[in-house]
Amino acid sequence: MRRCPARCFEQLGGVTATEQAVGPGDTIAAISTAAGEGAIALIRLSGEDAITVADRVFRGKRKPSGLDSHVQFLGEIVDAERVIDQVMIAVHRMPASYTGEDVVEISCHGGILVSARVLQACLRNGARAARPGEFTERAFVNGKMDLTQAEAVMDLIRARSDLALRSATEQLEGRLGAEINAIREQLTQLLAHVEASIDFPEEGIAPDEGEPLRARMQAVQNRITQLVRTSEHGRILRDGLRIVIYGATNVGKSSLLNRLLGFDRAIVSEIPGTTRDTIEEVISLRGVPVRLLDTAGVRGSEDALEQAGMARTARSLATADLVLHVVDRSLQKPEDFNGIKMELPQILLLNKSDLPEHVDWRGTEALRISCLQNAGLCDLEERIIDTIGQEHFRAENSVAINSRHRDCLRRALEACERAGATMDEGMSAEYMAIDLRAAHRAVTEVVGGENAEEILDSIFSQFCIGK
């Protein structure tokens, strides 16, 4: 059974971050590896007293304060002269560290108890427990990365497909930040020229007029629009494409889920209405993260549980990106089948191609598969990729914005449009400057140049402790 590390050291007499006064200059400590047993556990310290704390708990040939930076050394962690564990320790001196502060990393054996004891020793000797995401937050505050790169750290940890991993890696390397900074520079040049004409009219500085100014404004808007269009791609990379398997009872929906997963996740039975609840699993389909939802079969039923399952089916359809509509091709086409209309993209699957096809289905444009014989599923994968638009998942499109970036850029785009309307109406340059400043602020907010504290708290609270 796994136990939360914070809970472990609480039981051992330690204190959590919420029980201590929190200050920006504190020395923080946390277990940075996942909870549970493992070969190695990593305890990380960061802050101006990180090396001093390490001197108090580490015993070796030399104290950490005398060790070379970025080199590992063997020794022991002691607490009140009692040896806790034999460890490897590495000192990363500022500013050449992850947080930009002095950082000490202690690698001990990966037991739950021993790692909690090492952390407790650090907390007793001057450190405090780190809040979620506090190490990365300090890296941002100390200029080691911009806010898009900080967000990419969590995307990298959560990546479930090659494309999601590539997108997070490129964002962490600063590709999105570089694009945002280029847009900021364009807006800065526009704003500087307009404001100069306002502040120094005697110098004869006049802003571009007519087509030249319109062209410069349009270039900025086009660049922002291109980034906004990647938001849906980003949502799919981070959250997965939601594919709902839909259809009547006993058409093979659960069998299809099991085939796509590669293992038996859902119970398959000839009894109608076996699936009463929605079953969700995540797979990578040709590099695209996919959330598969097997839903309760749709039919007339007086059973309260089955009706509840069908209600969940309806809710799943409301949030789907794609519907796999499964039917049994060996049976007569339902009378109301032609009346089933969905605004969502859908793929019609005629299942049980191992059985003779009923005459009603002849000439029907659909993909014919057999879950029993595993036939046609490769074609199904191709059809899914084609339906969602393969052009959105190419390597050159790997950088994609998240919902926070999208909201900022939409505000910037609206401000640019207002500035353009001001110009078209022949209004004073002061009004155009106001809108250009609003656009600049909104774009700057993406990389964290003008972030309110609550925005930072919201972002970094999603991180795990120790990152």
Side-chain angles (χ1 to χ4, degrees):
M1 180 182 70
R2 296 193 172 198
R3 297 163 63 190
C4 172
R7 179 64 177 162
C8 264
F9 67 79
E10 281 176 10
Q11 292 175 340
L12 295 171
V15 288
T16 63
T18 57
E19 293 172 328
Q20 293 177 299
V22 176
D26 296 341
T27 294
I28 56 175
I31 301 173
S32 292
T33 40
E37 295 182 357
I40 298 293
L42 181 71
I43 290 83
R44 176 187 282 173
L45 299 98
S46 180
E48 60 181 23
D49 293 327
I51 297 175
T52 301
V53 172
D55 280 346
R56 294 170 182 162
V57 300
F58 179 78
R59 186 167 65 191
K61 291 183 178 179
R62 286 186 288 169
K63 290 186 175 182
S65 55
L67 300 179
D68 297 333
S69 185
H70 295 79
V71 180
Q72 285 194 322
F73 294 88
L74 179 66
E76 297 172 333
I77 295 296
V78 295
D79 188 15
E81 298 302 319
R82 181 172 60 88
V83 176
I84 296 174
D85 192 21
Q86 188 178 62
V87 303
M88 299 294 294
I89 194 169
V91 174
H92 305 271
R93 301 183 191 279
M94 63 177 300
S97 70
Y98 180 73
T99 63
E101 305 171 331
D102 285 339
V103 171
V104 176
E105 293 182 342
I106 302 169
S107 300
C108 67
H109 291 93
I112 296 174
L113 184 60
V114 66
S115 58
R117 291 283 191 190
V118 173
L119 175 59
Q120 183 189 39
C122 296
L123 298 179
R124 283 179 174 173
N125 284 275
R128 71 160 171 84
R131 293 179 282 107
E134 192 168 3
F135 289 92
T136 304
E137 183 178 7
R138 291 190 175 196
F140 164 71
V141 171
N142 293 326
K144 302 296 289 185
M145 58 178 68
D146 65 33
L147 200 53
T148 65
Q149 291 172 297
E151 291 169 307
V153 172
M154 186 53 64
D155 289 341
L156 191 69
I157 293 171
R158 293 175 175 171
R160 297 186 179 185
S161 70
D162 291 339
L163 280 175
L165 181 62
R166 185 185 303 130
S167 176
T169 300
E170 293 196 5
Q171 187 169 317
L172 185 59
E173 291 173 350
R175 182 171 167 183
L176 177 57
E179 181 64 17
I180 293 297
N181 286 328
I183 294 172
R184 288 175 65 197
E185 180 61 27
Q186 286 182 293
L187 285 169
T188 299
Q189 292 174 4
L190 272 173
L191 185 57
H193 193 69
V194 171
E195 290 189 334
S197 70
I198 298 170
D199 295 337
F200 306 102
E202 68 279 1
E203 299 295 332
I205 301 174
D208 291 338
E209 297 179 352
E211 289 303 319
L213 180 57
R214 169 59 68 190
R216 294 177 68 184
M217 290 285 297
Q218 193 60 51
V220 174
Q221 289 178 250
N222 290 344
R223 208 160 184 175
I224 295 174
T225 299
Q226 288 177 355
L227 278 179
V228 170
R229 286 173 178 168
T230 68
S231 62
E232 186 65 11
H233 176 199
R235 181 189 66 80
I236 292 173
L237 287 179
R238 294 176 178 92
D239 301 331
L241 182 76
R242 289 179 62 86
I243 297 182
V244 172
I245 304 174
Y246 168 84
T249 57
N250 272 40
V251 295
K253 300 186 302 299
S254 295
S255 296
L256 177 60
L257 174 72
N258 292 340
R259 283 296 189 181
L260 291 174
L261 292 177
F263 62 91
D264 290 340
R265 172 63 177 85
I267 297 174
V268 175
S269 170
E270 295 180 358
I271 302 172
T274 302
T275 302
R276 301 291 183 95
D277 203 352
T278 300
I279 299 174
E280 181 174 338
E281 290 288 343
V282 178
I283 63 171
S284 177
L285 192 63
R286 308 289 174 90
V288 179
V290 170
R291 306 181 78 89
L292 288 172
L293 289 90
D294 179 25
T295 59
V298 178
R299 66 169 181 169
S301 175
E302 299 298 325
D303 186 286
L305 286 177
E306 198 168 349
Q307 287 179 348
M310 286 186 281
R312 292 195 174 190
T313 297
R315 289 196 294 270
S316 297
L317 289 173
T319 59
D321 297 303
L322 177 66
V323 176
L324 301 183
H325 190 170
V326 185
V327 299
D328 185 345
R329 76 169 202 159
S330 68
L331 300 179
Q332 181 180 359
K333 183 185 292 187
E335 292 181 1
D336 61 346
F337 181 80
N338 291 329
I340 297 176
K341 302 294 183 183
M342 295 183 189
E343 296 181 0
L344 296 168
Q346 62 176 305
I347 300 173
L348 179 59
L349 302 177
L350 299 186
N351 191 24
K352 305 185 182 181
S353 60
D354 49 297
L355 299 176
E357 183 171 289
H358 193 280
V359 65
D360 284 358
W361 296 108
R362 290 178 185 173
T364 301
E365 185 177 348
L367 189 62
R368 287 157 172 80
I369 65 171
S370 172
C371 294
L372 180 64
Q373 296 182 344
N374 201 24
L377 297 188
C378 290
D379 294 335
L380 174 58
E381 292 182 5
E382 291 287 352
R383 185 73 64 86
I384 291 172
I385 297 298
D386 291 342
T387 302
I388 63 175
Q390 193 170 14
E391 69 275 5
H392 297 300
F393 295 96
R394 295 179 298 191
E396 57 266 32
N397 292 334
S398 57
V399 168
I401 64 174
N402 63 29
S403 59
R404 186 187 70 83
H405 307 153
R406 179 199 61 209
D407 293 341
C408 294
L409 292 174
R410 280 180 176 172
R411 283 191 278 114
L413 195 57
E414 290 169 358
C416 287
E417 290 170 351
R418 290 196 301 270
T422 298
M423 181 192 70
D424 293 340
E425 294 171 8
M427 298 175 68
S428 172
E430 283 89 345
Y431 294 103
M432 184 184 297
I434 291 172
D435 292 324
L436 288 176
R437 287 192 207 102
H440 191 277
R441 284 195 301 271
V443 170
T444 300
E445 194 175 305
V446 175
V447 290
E450 299 178 9
N451 278 275
E453 186 174 346
E454 59 267 22
I455 296 177
L456 297 180
D457 290 343
S458 174
I459 291 171
F460 291 108
S461 65
Q462 300 176 48
F463 282 57
C464 54
I465 293 175
K467 193 57 184 174

